[in-house]
Amino acid sequence: MRRPVEDLNRFYQSPEGAVAKRLIGRKLTEAWPDVRGLDVLGIGYCSPYLGQFNEARRVLSAMPASQGAEIWPADMRVRTVLVEEEALPFPTALFDRILMMHVLEEAPLPQGLLLEASRLLAPNGRLILGVAARGGFWAHAEKTPFGYGQPYSRMQLEGVLREAELEPLAWSYALYAPPFNALLRWSGALEKILPRMWPITGGLILMEAGRRPFIAHTARAQKSILQELRGVLTPAQQPVPTSRTPTPVTRELA
């Protein structure tokens, strides 16, 4: 059962949600600094992050029907679509950038969802998938959306992406600081210090992936069993009798 859209919206209005939006948004800007002329799709609950891609040619938000949808953006023509996760209503290879947030952890069929995202991604496109990190502080905090559903390790996330015909290209952690009010004011500094001083897992894994390149394999004609045996049983060359006539030996004199 997915978190309803009202709970997700309420979280991002809280101090913890404001910190998550700022820290995750910074990572997304570093990964995709220029989206001018590109088509961007958000799958899941991506409303807090899609605003930073306003320079793109087209930005759409696809929200799962089991989660519910909200008006986005509030002051412009609505660009939100209510969708079924395994049948997204878009043409193949339409989007240059796809962002997936708050969607994989609670997906009833994660593989079907990722296959649909792979189908929509342009050949040279990029996808960023954000999921709760197994072992991170945020995966155990039920007061946040990251505390629900199935968290992933980095290796598990790479595996499910490859099964969906996507190739992982880069990854990073975010949300190192625990979701405690007393530490929120130090979250920016802790995000820089903790990965260097203490090798812990961040609360969120952000993994970028692209379409796996197609490699054509030329089919070779299969030999029959008789052809194989003929190559074994038939000598490659006929034996040549050795000459019995002695060959004269010449010696060079000093």
Side-chain angles (χ1 to χ4, degrees):
M1 183 66 182
R2 287 193 176 280
R3 297 293 91 195
V5 70
E6 294 84 3
D7 288 358
L8 293 164
N9 182 277
R10 192 178 303 114
F11 166 73
Y12 280 100
Q13 301 300 321
S14 68
E16 294 90 345
V19 168
K21 176 181 178 180
R22 175 167 53 86
L23 297 179
I24 297 172
R26 184 185 302 169
K27 294 277 189 178
L28 296 176
T29 301
E30 292 173 358
W32 297 341
D34 186 6
V35 294
R36 287 174 294 182
L38 303 181
D39 295 327
V40 179
L41 174 68
I43 302 176
Y45 189 78
C46 302
S47 303
Y49 308 103
L50 293 179
Q52 64 192 69
F53 302 125
N54 280 334
E55 293 183 352
R57 178 174 58 182
R58 183 188 295 118
V59 183
L60 298 176
S61 177
M63 295 188 175
S66 57
Q67 165 197 286
E70 68 179 8
I71 296 175
W72 179 88
D75 56 346
M76 299 173 62
R77 181 177 297 178
V78 176
R79 288 177 279 172
T80 299
V81 182
L82 196 66
V83 299
E84 294 295 337
E85 299 176 26
E86 294 84 34
L88 298 176
F90 304 109
T92 299
L94 178 62
F95 295 98
D96 305 290
R97 299 288 185 270
I98 296 179
L99 174 64
M100 302 178 67
M101 294 288 297
H102 301 296
V103 65
L104 189 68
E105 298 96 322
E106 298 182 77
L109 295 173
Q111 199 62 30
L113 172 64
L114 288 175
L115 283 171
E116 271 295 271
S118 175
R119 178 184 69 82
L120 298 181
L121 193 63
N124 295 322
R126 293 290 181 267
L127 176 148
I128 289 183
L129 177 60
V131 300
R134 182 182 297 277
F137 290 115
W138 292 70
H140 301 281
E142 294 186 2
K143 65 178 181 179
T144 78
F146 303 104
Y148 292 86
Q150 175 67 46
Y152 287 80
S153 69
R154 182 170 65 87
M155 298 301 293
Q156 289 172 337
L157 197 56
E158 290 181 356
V160 296
L161 284 170
R162 289 195 173 99
E163 289 175 2
E165 303 176 0
L166 293 165
E167 186 63 29
L169 303 173
W171 66 274
S172 67
Y173 285 116
L175 306 182
Y176 280 92
F180 304 142
N181 289 332
L183 297 175
L184 291 179
R185 60 182 298 185
W186 307 103
S187 58
L190 293 174
E191 199 81 359
K192 298 178 181 179
I193 296 172
L194 285 180
R196 301 177 182 178
M197 296 183 59
W198 189 17
I200 62 173
T201 300
L204 184 78
I205 305 174
L206 289 167
M207 187 166 289
E208 185 177 34
R211 290 279 296 274
R212 182 175 295 180
F214 175 76
I215 301 176
H217 296 279
T218 303
R220 296 182 179 180
Q222 297 292 328
K223 292 183 178 180
S224 66
I225 296 178
L226 291 177
Q227 288 175 322
E228 295 285 351
L229 291 176
R230 188 178 297 114
V232 174
L233 300 177
T234 303
Q237 296 180 351
Q238 296 297 327
V240 178
T242 303
S243 174
R244 297 183 181 274
T245 305
T247 303
V249 178
T250 59
R251 179 180 299 173
E252 184 177 354
L253 300 178

